[in-house]
Amino acid sequence: MVLQAALEAGMDIPHYCYHPSLSVVASCRLCLMEMKVPDPKSGELVWMPKLVPSCQTPVKEGMEVRFNSPAVQQNQQQCMEYFLLNHPLDCPVCDQAGECYLQDYSYRFGQPTSRMVEEKLKNPKKDVGPRTLLYQDRCVMCSRCVRFTDEIAGTHELTVVNRGNRAEIDVFPGLPLNNPLQGNVVDLCPVGSLLDKDFLFKQRVWLLRETKSICPGCSTGCAIRIDHNEGVIYRLKPRFSPKVNDYWMCDEGRFGWKYLQDGDRLTRPVVRRGGEVFYPRWEDIPEIINYRLRKLAEQQTPTAVVLSPMLACEEAWLIASYVRALLPQAVLVASWLPVQGAEQNFPVGSPAEKARFTIRPEKCPNRRGVELLINKLGGASSTLEDLIKQVKEKKIKAAWITGGYSQRDWVSKELAAAAKELELLVMQDLYANALTDNSHVLLPSCCWAEREGSFVNQAGLIQPFERAVDGPEGTRRDGQYLYEIAGYSGLYRAEKVRERMAEQLAEFRDIYVAPDPPEHQH
Amino acid sequence: MSWKAYDRNQPVMDPQAPPVLTEAVREKIRSFFPRYETKRAVLLPALHIVQELLGYVSYQAMKEIADLLEIHASDVLDVVSFYTHFANHPKGRKTVMVCRSLSCELMGGKAVLEAVKNTLQIQEHGTSTDGQYFLVTEECLAECDHAPCLKINERTYHQVKATDVSRILADEKNAELSIARSSLFDPPGH
Ligand code: SF4
Ligand code: FES
Ligand code: FES
C-alpha cells in the first residue's frame, strides 16, 4: 500500500485506522492523497479530482501520488477538526498524553482553535473488562481495537454500536473484554480512549525511559520494551518483531513481571561453614568461590553444574566454562522446566500453523539456549532427575545450582533432600527456599530486567536483551559477579562475553535483533 | 475510582431467565441456513423474525440468536444498534412510520403526523397506552409519487389525508399485506 511505502520512506503521513497487521478499512480518511490516473479521453496521466485513501491503494509501477498539495492538506485539517469536534480537552489528566496521535496530529496537521460553539457530546466512560477502561469521549472510531479482537485474538468482544456520529465502541454487557491478549488493544488505540487500569495515573509517559528487552514469560520470547523511571518499572510494551511476536504480546507477560518488585528478594551473599553463617562482601566472593572450587579439584570431587533456563546464555557460559576449566569432568545439567497449561494459539481456535500469535506452555525464556550450550560444550551431561539419584548414591558430591524462577516453590522435595547430602552447594536464586537455606555459598540473583544477555527462543533465535533497572539494594548483576569469579576484571558487557563465546561456539555468532518499524508508523 | 464509569462486566439480563426464542422461531431461523454460505449471513432474517415475534430484540434474544448462529453476541448487538429498524427495548407492536421528507411535507405530511399524534395520544418515539402502536418519523419512504405517505410495519398507505388517519388506525388488520411477503421474511413453507 502507498501509505506503508510512504511511512517506510520516512514520511509522516497521518493515519488512524490503518495498521500493518490488521485488515484495511480506510475509514478515518486522514491518509488521503492525490493520485494520477489516465484521462479517459486522451489516455494521458492527470491528477484525479477526488482524493483517494493511501492505506487502501496498492503501489504500482510508474504510479504518481502526492501528499503535499493544498487539497491533501486541507483534507487533513478538516479531518482533524472533525475528530476534535466532541473530543474533551482533558490532556492534562489523560494517560495517553505524550504518546497520543490526536495530540501529535492536531499539532502537525490541525488548526489551533476550534470553530465548534455547540455543547460537546459527552460520552460515558465504560469499564469494559477487568484490565481495561474505555473513555468513549476520546475515541476516534478507528476500529483498530475491534479488528484486533476479531482478527488477532479471535474473541470478538469489542464491537461498534450505533452508527454515524453516535457510534461507540462497546462490549455486549456481561461479556467483557477478557482475553489473554487484551492488553494489545490499549497499545493499538492511537488516542487515550482505551487505557490500562494497571498503568492508569501511575506516570506521565514522557518521564519514562525505554529499554529494549525480551519477555521471559514463555519460550516464545516476544520482543518487548521496558518502560521505567528512576529505577522503577511501570509497564511493559511489545516491540515489533516480524519473526516472533509481530506487534503483540500476551497479558501474562505484560503483567506477570510484578514479582520482581516483591520485598522479599535475597539481597546479600551468604557463606555457611560448619554451622556458622558469614555475610561476605561481594568483593570477596571470587576468592571464596575460587578457593572452594580449587579444593574440589584437588580432591577430584565429582561435581555438577545445574543451569537454569532463566539464565542468559552468557551467564550460563561463564559458569559452565569456569567450572569446567577447574573440573573438566563436571557434569552439566539443565535445570527444572516450568511448564504450565497448553499451547494457546490465536485467533482462538486456529491451528498452530495458521496462528498469528502463540502463548507457549514453557514458562521460561532460555531452555534452548541452555541446552545448546550443554550440547556444544560437550563432556558429561545429565538430567535433574538423574542428578538427584547420583547425589543420593554419592556419585556427585558438589553442585552449583542456579534458579531465578518466579515460582518460589520450584525446589522439589527430592531435590531439597539430595542437596543436604552435598559437600559443597553453591546456589544462585531470587528467593529463599530449601536450597538457598542449605547452601554453602549463596549468591543472590537478579531478575531479567536487571541483567543483560541473550535468550534463545523456541524457534532457535538468539535474542539479546538490555538491562533496564538495578536490582534491590545489595544485589549485583549475575553477569558481573560471574565475570569476576571467572577471572575477568572490569565491567561485564554481555556483548563482549558473547564475542568470546562465539570464538568457541560458532552458533552464538548470529543474533536476531528485530528491525525498528518506520518512525512515523504506529 | 472516583468518577462514573458504566460497568460493562455485568450482564443486563437475568442469567437464569428462560429462553425467549421458542422452538418454532428457532426452526424458522434455521430454515434460512441452506440459503447462505455462512450462518452469520442469517443474522438479518433472524432479527426480523425475532422483532416480529417480540416486538423488539432484547439482550436475551440477541444472546440466543448469537448462540444459534455461532457468532459472538457483540456482533448481534452491532447490527441491532446499527439499524434504527431494530429496537432493543420494548415498544408498541406496530410501528407507524410517517414520512417527514420533502414531497410528503409539501403534500401535507405534517398534518398527517399531527393527526396520528392526536389519535394515539403519543409523541414521536412514544408507545400508545394499549401497547399497540409506536410512532416514528422517517426520511422518505421512497413513495414520493404517492405523497403524503405513512407506513404501518410493512404496509404503506398512499396519499393519506389527515381525516383518514383515525379510520386507518382503528382497523385491526391495518398492518396486513395484500400481497405475499418477500421470501426474505417468510421462507417457503412457513
Ligand atoms: S477506542 Fe481507540 S482503538 Fe478503539 S475505535 Fe476508539 S480510538 Fe480506535
Ligand atoms: S483511511 Fe487510510 S489510514 Fe484511515
Ligand atoms: S418524501 Fe415521503 S415518500 Fe419520499
Side-chain angles (χ1 to χ4, degrees):
Chain A
M1 300 298 151
V2 175
L3 176 60
Q4 185 67 33
L7 292 169
E8 275 165 25
M11 291 174 75
D12 186 4
I13 310 295
H15 58 285
Y16 285 136
C17 65
Y18 173 78
H19 186 280
S21 275
L22 300 174
S23 60
V24 174
V25 288
S27 64
C28 76
R29 315 311 280 179
L30 248 187
C31 74
L32 302 197
M33 60 171 182
E34 273 191 283
M35 183 168 80
K36 272 195 176 170
V37 286
D39 184 300
K41 284 184 198 128
S42 63
E44 200 185 317
L45 283 179
V46 290
W47 290 110
M48 190 168 134
K50 254 181 70 175
L51 303 179
V52 290
S54 62
C55 64
Q56 209 179 28
T57 313
V59 178
K60 272 188 238 110
E61 188 63 40
M63 127 189 263
E64 254 184 86
V65 301
R66 64 180 176 194
F67 286 97
N68 56 0
S69 68
V72 171
Q73 281 157 1
Q74 196 192 11
N75 170 68
Q76 291 168 347
Q77 253 187 27
Q78 287 168 348
C79 281
M80 287 315 297
E81 186 169 24
Y82 172 72
F83 284 128
L84 292 169
L85 270 190
N86 289 309
H87 193 88
L89 255 180
D90 63 350
C91 304
V93 294
C94 175
D95 249 23
Q96 187 88 358
E99 52 181 13
C100 172
Y101 285 91
L102 207 45
Q103 280 185 335
D104 291 5
Y105 288 170
S106 16
Y107 187 69
R108 279 253 303 114
F109 307 100
Q111 294 162 347
T113 53
S114 169
R115 291 186 292 164
M116 166 103 163
V117 288
E118 286 80 13
E119 220 21 64
K120 293 188 178 201
L121 268 183
K122 281 205 196 81
N123 274 315
K125 295 174 186 59
K126 284 178 267 192
D127 186 345
V128 290
R131 292 193 189 280
T132 316
L133 272 181
L134 173 65
Y135 281 63
Q136 187 58 56
D137 47 5
R138 296 181 186 154
C139 176
V140 294
M141 291 312 292
C142 65
S143 84
R144 282 176 167 205
C145 51
V146 176
R147 280 174 285 148
F148 179 84
T149 58
D150 284 348
E151 295 163 18
I152 310 290
T155 47
H156 308 276
E157 297 102 328
L158 289 172
T159 195
V160 179
V161 300
N162 301 334
R163 72 174 129 135
N165 66 340
R166 306 214 160 258
E168 285 179 30
I169 301 297
D170 209 344
V171 294
F172 190 84
L175 299 176
L177 177 65
N178 196 9
N179 66 62
L181 300 185
Q182 50 93 18
N184 293 296
V185 300
V186 177
D187 303 341
L188 274 175
C189 183
V191 301
S193 187
L194 282 160
L195 294 179
D196 182 351
K197 287 185 191 172
D198 187 60
F199 181 69
L200 194 70
F201 304 146
K202 291 280 159 59
Q203 277 287 293
R204 304 303 338 211
V205 299
W206 53 85
L207 298 176
L208 295 172
R209 292 207 292 144
E210 303 175 352
T211 301
K212 288 181 176 177
S213 186
I214 298 295
C215 178
C218 84
S219 58
T220 299
C222 293
I224 57 162
R225 198 180 84 197
I226 303 176
D227 283 359
H228 54 99
N229 180 22
E230 300 191 341
V232 182
I233 299 177
Y234 287 95
R235 63 178 184 186
L236 305 188
K237 290 255 176 194
R239 270 187 301 134
F240 172 57
S241 180
K243 285 198 191 166
V244 184
N245 53 313
D246 209 15
Y247 294 89
W248 328 119
M249 79 183 287
C250 77
D251 294 346
E252 231 175 283
R254 190 186 294 265
F255 304 110
W257 51 273
K258 299 275 173 79
Y259 65 91
L260 67 87
Q261 289 175 343
D262 289 352
D264 58 341
R265 295 257 306 267
L266 294 171
T267 54
R268 55 178 173 171
V270 181
V271 170
R272 291 190 185 80
R273 207 163 34 203
E276 272 184 281
V277 183
F278 304 92
Y279 297 101
R281 297 180 310 159
W282 276 110
E283 289 74 15
D284 299 332
I285 288 294
E287 215 184 295
I288 294 172
I289 301 261
N290 265 307
Y291 174 75
R292 293 287 187 107
L293 260 72
R294 267 202 305 272
K295 248 172 109 185
L296 294 183
E298 277 163 25
Q299 292 161 0
Q300 303 212 336
T301 314
T303 304
V305 178
V306 180
L307 298 174
S308 158
M310 305 303 287
L311 287 174
C313 300
E314 294 79 0
E315 295 155 354
W317 179 77
L318 280 174
I319 303 175
S321 51
Y322 164 70
V323 175
R324 276 275 175 86
L326 290 170
L327 296 146
Q329 307 305 327
V331 183
L332 300 184
V333 181
S335 186
W336 177 71
L337 263 193
V339 176
Q340 201 185 66
E343 188 167 291
Q344 298 178 62
N345 288 311
F346 297 90
V348 166
S350 58
E353 62 284 2
K354 289 229 178 91
R356 300 188 66 175
F357 192 87
T358 305
I359 305 176
R360 296 200 159 73
E362 207 175 278
K363 303 296 178 201
C364 56
N366 204 21
R367 174 184 61 84
R368 281 200 63 163
V370 166
E371 281 178 8
L372 182 69
L373 206 71
I374 294 177
N375 275 338
K376 294 293 160 186
L377 287 176
S381 66
S382 175
T383 62
L384 197 57
E385 281 159 27
D386 288 345
L387 176 73
I388 295 172
K389 267 189 232 141
Q390 287 162 338
V391 173
K392 279 191 192 143
E393 294 162 5
K394 303 279 180 204
K395 285 184 190 147
I396 295 279
K397 293 189 182 157
W400 183 323
I401 302 182
T402 53
Y405 302 100
S406 62
Q407 295 86 347
R408 287 155 193 251
D409 55 354
W410 75 272
V411 179
S412 67
K413 271 199 210 97
E414 295 74 31
L415 181 59
K420 286 197 183 139
E421 320 257 313
L422 291 168
E423 283 170 22
L424 175 68
L425 170 60
V426 178
M427 186 65 204
Q428 263 176 273
D429 213 338
L430 287 175
Y431 302 104
N433 56 39
L435 292 186
T436 60
D437 293 347
N438 287 313
S439 59
H440 301 100
V441 181
L442 168 64
L443 305 171
S445 278
C446 279
C447 279
W448 107 104
E450 301 150 3
R451 309 189 330 242
E452 60 181 55
S454 59
F455 293 141
V456 182
N457 81 344
Q458 51 80 36
L461 297 173
I462 303 174
Q463 307 194 88
F465 61 95
E466 291 165 20
R467 180 182 66 101
V469 294
D470 286 329
E473 205 179 326
T475 56
R476 273 207 188 178
R477 284 181 289 154
D478 304 42
Q480 184 64 41
Y481 63 70
L482 294 171
Y483 196 62
E484 288 166 17
I485 290 172
Y488 303 105
S489 59
L491 192 65
Y492 161 81
R493 296 293 307 167
E495 207 182 326
K496 282 231 193 74
V497 175
R498 204 155 50 234
E499 276 169 24
R500 286 226 177 95
M501 278 170 82
E503 286 168 17
Q504 190 187 352
L505 311 163
E507 288 75 13
F508 288 94
R509 224 163 270 161
D510 297 325
I511 53 167
Y512 176 67
V513 181
D516 283 333
E519 185 189 346
H520 299 293
Q521 177 188 306
H522 63 91
Chain B
M1 272 166 257
S2 57
W3 66 81
K4 190 169 175 215
Y6 290 99
D7 185 1
R8 307 304 260 157
N9 295 282
Q10 302 310 320
V12 286
M13 60 223 191
D14 176 7
Q16 254 92 57
V20 292
L21 300 192
T22 61
E23 192 43 42
V25 169
R26 283 162 198 268
E27 205 30 65
K28 186 164 174 186
I29 294 174
R30 278 189 213 110
S31 71
F32 279 92
F33 287 173
R35 287 201 195 181
Y36 305 100
E37 270 178 32
T38 60
K39 290 189 183 171
R40 173 184 290 269
V42 180
L43 181 51
L44 276 179
L47 291 176
H48 281 294
I49 292 168
V50 172
Q51 175 142 312
E52 193 169 78
L53 173 85
L54 303 177
Y56 71 109
V57 189
S58 64
Y59 279 96
Q60 171 86 31
M62 290 187 221
K63 183 80 187 62
E64 287 172 30
I65 294 173
D67 292 344
L68 200 59
L69 304 187
E70 292 163 24
I71 57 179
H72 197 278
S74 72
D75 291 345
V76 182
L77 176 64
D78 181 332
V79 175
V80 170
S81 64
F82 183 88
Y83 293 106
T84 50
H85 177 82
F86 299 117
N88 62 7
H89 51 83
K91 59 174 184 61
R93 300 200 67 80
K94 295 179 190 169
T95 303
V96 183
M97 289 159 264
V98 183
C99 178
R100 58 154 181 249
S101 216
L102 192 61
S103 316
C104 292
E105 165 95 34
L106 287 173
M107 300 301 287
K110 254 215 182 105
V112 175
L113 178 62
E114 284 311 310
V116 177
K117 284 184 182 170
N118 286 335
T119 318
L120 298 177
Q121 288 296 305
I122 50 176
Q123 293 300 314
E124 263 182 70
H125 300 285
T127 295
S128 59
T129 37
D130 60 358
Q132 275 300 307
Y133 291 106
F134 176 69
L135 172 65
V136 289
T137 55
E138 285 290 350
E139 215 58 70
C140 191
L141 298 173
E143 307 267 2
C144 309
D145 44 346
H146 304 294
C149 296
L150 166 159
K151 224 172 154 182
I152 302 180
N153 287 358
E154 285 141 55
R155 178 156 166 195
T156 315
Y157 290 84
H158 294 153
Q159 282 145 348
V160 184
K161 292 189 196 69
T163 46
D164 296 341
V165 168
S166 54
R167 181 182 47 78
I168 295 174
L169 291 177
D171 180 2
E172 287 268 297
K173 301 185 167 171
N174 55 12
E176 265 175 36
L177 292 175
S178 49
I179 50 166
R181 283 216 304 186
S182 146
S183 68
L184 191 64
F185 296 93
D186 297 320
H190 274 273

